[in-house]
Amino acid sequence: MATDWNLSPAPESTSHANIAKQYELFINGEFQKPISGKYFDTINPADETLLSSIAEAGDDDVDKAMKAAKAAHKSWSKISGKERGKYIYRIARMIQEKSREFAVIESLDGGKPIGESRDIDVPLAAAHFFYYAGWADKLDYAFPMRKPKSLGVAAQIIPWNFPLLMAAWKIAPALACGNTVVLKPAETTPLTALKLAEVIQEAGLPKGVVNIITGDGRTGAAMTAHPIPNKLAFTGSTPVGKSIYKAALEGNKKVTLELGGKAANIIFDDAPIEAAVEGIINGIYFNQGHVCCAGSRLFVQESVYEEVLAKLKKRIGNLIVGDPMDKNTDIGAINSKEQLHTINRYIEIGREEGAEIYQPECDLPTKGNWCRPTLFTNVAQSNRIAQEEIFGPVLAIQTFRTIDEVIDKANNTSYGLSAGVWTDKGSKIFQLTKALKAGVVWANTYNKFDPTSPFGGYKESGFGREGGMHGLEAYLKFTV
Ligand code: NAP
Ligand code: MG
């Protein structure tokens, strides 16, 4: 993934990480012990060591956080957009100042390579706060005919693959629009959201404007079932997304869902092949393939298939799998034992379905959760590995002859989040961007993100957009 937002200095060692032994719930501007009295562990998936003990929010804790957010909304929604923007800007600055620490903690807690946390996750998170700080005093200009108003309290639930970045995607636009927030990070990666809570406290945000509570799916379910939130914002799997949609219907709440994907990357015979191969590698192996928009299906035009396959095999043989804290690592640790089990099960399924597997030889660490970069050839369109989201470093390769054939194949999944097209011909790019049912289509690049660009899906990939001006609409109602 590429970004122009890298403003952080390089983290040099794990000594930059200031991780407490125990974390409480961040409610009403203070770190509070959970009424539930319960705690759970977060571990480092690369060596299975305990990082910290984390408070588990029960129903009473969720209720407390929602009430704090509701009370805070009264004044937060009334202060000027300019004032709100200043607070959001301060958060952005403080993320930048603490970028080394954020990057190290993100890699320790989640297993992603430090080079990615440092160059992508953390700078992009800061960039999102900067971007939405700028919108806070311009809402009337953005929607001149419609009189924008905040919704109230947003309950926000995020996954474990980009913990800080997803928190930024959720919190920054919500605050800019005058909402208050209760956010829950995923159970396996709570630490950077809790660091963000420290930043928010230090930035002096009014009490209760942002509440960060930790727990597992039960905490998330209690948040969505609670009567207070006016808005549910969810990023995660399609099955959980559907349960959240039901909760939103029952509670008459506004909802946005950013769900799974099974993106097609398409290489035509006129493509710049070297660049395309790099793009395919980045598309599927970035962040261990734990990416909703991962280019997990590859379609290669028949005449260049052998060439592309040979280059891909050579390239994945050079990928370094191992210690996330080593700046040379390409593929870090799989986020959890459960996810490793899911990926390994799909690898078995691929074999059972008759696809041909290729994995390069490489030494894997003895402790922790690891998966070699994997590719499957001889894949049929109906195979489960070509249809279902694996969320790991596993690529399913198919071939095609004509543009119409590849459009049909690429669109033939239940998902519609993203796609990539590699060709020298602008006309093909225009044709495909129209024909592919995907929220984002990258041309001759992949995984490019920017806070100014909207992101979101069709079909089982969810609905609503985050990022850009579109991301504001998700947190506003209009009175005319
Ligand atoms: P997940 O299992 O759906 O969990 C997402 C979040 O929901 C976690 O915080 C989880 O808590 C919580 N949760 C679980 N059950 C819940 C329930 N019944 N009610 C309310 N909340 C509940 O997804 P994941 O495994 O963390 O993330 C991977 C998925 O996210 C993939 O499908 C990926 O494609 C998708 N994703 C989409 C985007 C996008 O922008 N479209 C971006 C990133 C990821 P615990 O984890 O603590 O149990
Ligand atoms: Mg962890």
Side-chain angles (χ1 to χ4, degrees), residues 154-425:
Q156 306 182 318
I157 299 174
I158 55 172
W160 43 261
N161 56 345
F162 295 94
L164 179 68
L165 186 57
M166 291 298 108
W169 279 28
K170 294 274 179 287
I171 295 174
L175 296 187
C177 294
N179 303 280
T180 55
V181 162
V182 178
L183 175 127
K184 187 193 91 66
E187 189 186 359
T188 57
T189 55
L191 290 180
T192 46
L194 290 162
K195 272 281 148 198
L196 183 62
E198 291 176 4
V199 159
I200 283 165
Q201 192 180 41
E202 221 181 306
L205 252 77
K207 287 179 188 301
V209 169
V210 175
N211 304 273
I212 294 185
I213 61 173
T214 38
D216 60 14
R218 282 167 302 187
T219 306
M223 289 167 68
T224 58
H226 198 281
I228 285 183
N230 311 86
K231 156 90 190 188
L232 306 180
F234 175 77
T235 299
S237 62
T238 299
V240 176
K242 287 184 178 175
S243 76
I244 287 181
Y245 193 35
K246 279 188 199 141
L249 274 178
E250 276 164 22
N252 195 22
K253 301 171 191 305
K254 193 162 168 167
V255 61
T256 39
L257 301 173
E258 300 280 1
L259 309 178
K262 192 74 184 174
N265 236 326
I266 300 168
I267 304 186
F268 287 94
D269 57 9
D270 56 14
I273 299 290
E274 298 290 337
V277 166
E278 277 313 301
I280 302 314
I281 296 285
N282 166 276
I284 183 61
Y285 301 122
F286 167 61
N287 197 29
Q288 297 73 248
H290 303 327
V291 183
C292 51
C293 52
S296 51
R297 293 181 297 152
L298 171 61
F299 294 96
V300 190
Q301 199 153 24
E302 263 183 17
S303 50
V304 288
Y305 175 68
E306 294 302 335
E307 180 189 357
V308 168
L309 186 62
K311 288 196 155 108
L312 277 173
K313 285 184 174 173
K314 190 165 172 224
R315 185 68 182 87
I316 68 171
N318 296 330
L319 294 175
I320 299 171
V321 186
D323 183 7
M325 302 316 294
D326 184 332
K327 64 179 175 16
N328 295 317
T329 293
D330 296 301
I331 299 182
I334 299 300
N335 183 265
S336 65
K337 285 260 174 282
E338 292 72 33
Q339 189 57 29
L340 182 60
H341 177 76
T342 303
I343 297 166
N344 285 338
R345 179 71 196 116
Y346 272 110
I347 290 176
E348 272 172 42
I349 290 169
R351 285 193 165 113
E352 287 161 15
E353 287 176 323
E356 201 172 306
I357 188 170
Y358 177 78
Q359 289 178 315
E361 286 302 317
C362 60
D363 294 331
L364 298 177
T366 45
K367 273 198 150 185
N369 314 325
W370 307 99
C371 183
R372 290 185 176 86
T374 303
L375 52 87
F376 276 105
T377 53
N378 199 22
V379 176
Q381 181 69 6
S382 59
N383 285 172
R384 287 181 65 190
I385 57 164
Q387 292 291 335
E388 297 174 20
E389 186 182 47
I390 300 174
F391 224 55
V394 182
L395 179 65
I397 307 179
Q398 295 174 260
T399 58
F400 69 94
R401 283 189 188 154
T402 66
I403 192 162
D404 289 338
E405 179 192 347
V406 78
I407 289 169
D408 275 355
K409 282 182 165 170
N411 282 336
N412 181 12
T413 73
S414 52
Y415 294 109
L417 189 57
S418 55
V421 181
W422 300 84
T423 171
D424 211 21
K425 294 272 181 305

